[in-house]
Amino acid sequence: MEPLTMSKISPLHKEKHIDNSGIQLHYFSCKKNSAVENVLDQLKEEIDNASEKICIASTSNINKSICENLLKAASKRVRIYGLFQDMKKCSESIAWFDAKNPALIRSNAKLENNFIIIDNKLAFFFINSLTDIESNKCFIMKNEHMQDLFYWFTYFFWNNGADAKEHHD
């Protein structure tokens, strides 16, 4: 029997740097987070149980049943922050909020993702728009992945918002 031979292991050059900062992220999968099909009931329950704030990033109008739960949360003094791709395109969802149901809403044309962060504890990252949540695949994120998403939301909400619509009590 012939002994097994291995190919020579080449050293890695330490001076090589890979910069992916200019590459746009299109899809990612995290083993720590769960991917589920229909999260509407779970999402509504989490919104109802929110105690501090809800951050929404959407490229389109939001599912009406979600808007109803957001109004209930706003009436319980939960802060609602909305980041939309285009104010006119999402005007139907924005119209749900007023002085009685306050929200701080801004737009950013660079927005390409749809997600909802609840109390900085849990995030629902949707593959498609928030208009049809029932058939929309979703990643539920916690811990450091949710914190990364919140950092992204905060950056684009405060630093690049062209329009703002505020409602006060």
Side-chain angles (χ1 to χ4, degrees):
M1 187 160 152
E2 227 177 274
L4 294 174
T5 59
M6 296 179 66
S7 62
K8 183 179 177 184
I9 298 173
S10 301
L12 295 174
H13 300 287
K14 294 179 183 176
E15 63 273 3
K16 184 175 181 179
H17 297 283
I18 299 172
D19 181 14
N20 291 325
S21 63
I23 298 172
Q24 185 176 12
L25 178 67
H26 293 283
Y27 177 79
F28 66 93
S29 176
C30 302
K31 292 181 181 178
K32 292 181 180 179
N33 302 306
S34 59
V36 289
E37 291 288 335
N38 188 353
V39 295
L40 183 59
D41 292 334
Q42 182 181 358
L43 177 59
K44 289 164 79 172
E45 181 182 336
E46 293 293 339
I47 290 172
D48 289 342
N49 294 332
S51 60
E52 295 176 26
K53 67 179 166 237
I54 299 172
C55 302
I56 305 158
S58 182
T59 58
S60 66
N61 282 305
I62 302 169
N63 182 294
K64 290 181 182 178
S65 63
I66 295 300
C67 284
E68 291 169 1
N69 288 78
L70 290 171
L71 293 180
K72 289 178 196 173
S75 69
K76 296 187 311 183
R77 303 285 216 201
V78 173
R79 307 254 326 152
I80 308 289
Y81 298 93
L83 179 61
F84 292 95
Q85 189 176 50
D86 183 351
M87 290 281 201
K88 290 178 185 170
K89 186 177 170 183
C90 302
S91 61
E92 187 178 309
S93 294
I94 295 169
W96 283 75
F97 301 99
D98 54 20
K100 187 176 179 182
N101 300 299
L104 179 56
I105 299 172
R106 303 191 99 180
S107 70
N108 190 320
K110 295 178 183 176
L111 180 66
E112 295 182 8
N113 299 305
N114 297 281
F115 57 87
I116 299 174
I117 301 172
I118 301 170
D119 287 337
N120 279 9
K121 296 177 184 170
L122 187 65
F124 293 82
F125 187 88
F126 293 91
I127 301 301
N128 297 311
S129 75
L130 298 178
T131 305
D132 186 22
I133 291 181
E134 292 91 353
S135 61
N136 195 346
K137 194 159 187 172
C138 171
F139 287 94
I140 298 175
M141 301 179 168
K142 298 178 181 175
N143 305 322
E144 70 272 3
H145 299 290
M146 187 279 315
Q147 290 298 328
D148 291 343
L149 202 57
F150 180 69
Y151 173 82
W152 184 92
F153 177 87
T154 304
Y155 176 81
F156 283 99
F157 186 86
W158 292 113
N159 294 327
N160 291 324
D163 300 321
K165 180 180 179 182
E166 297 183 58
H167 294 290
H168 299 284
D169 293 343

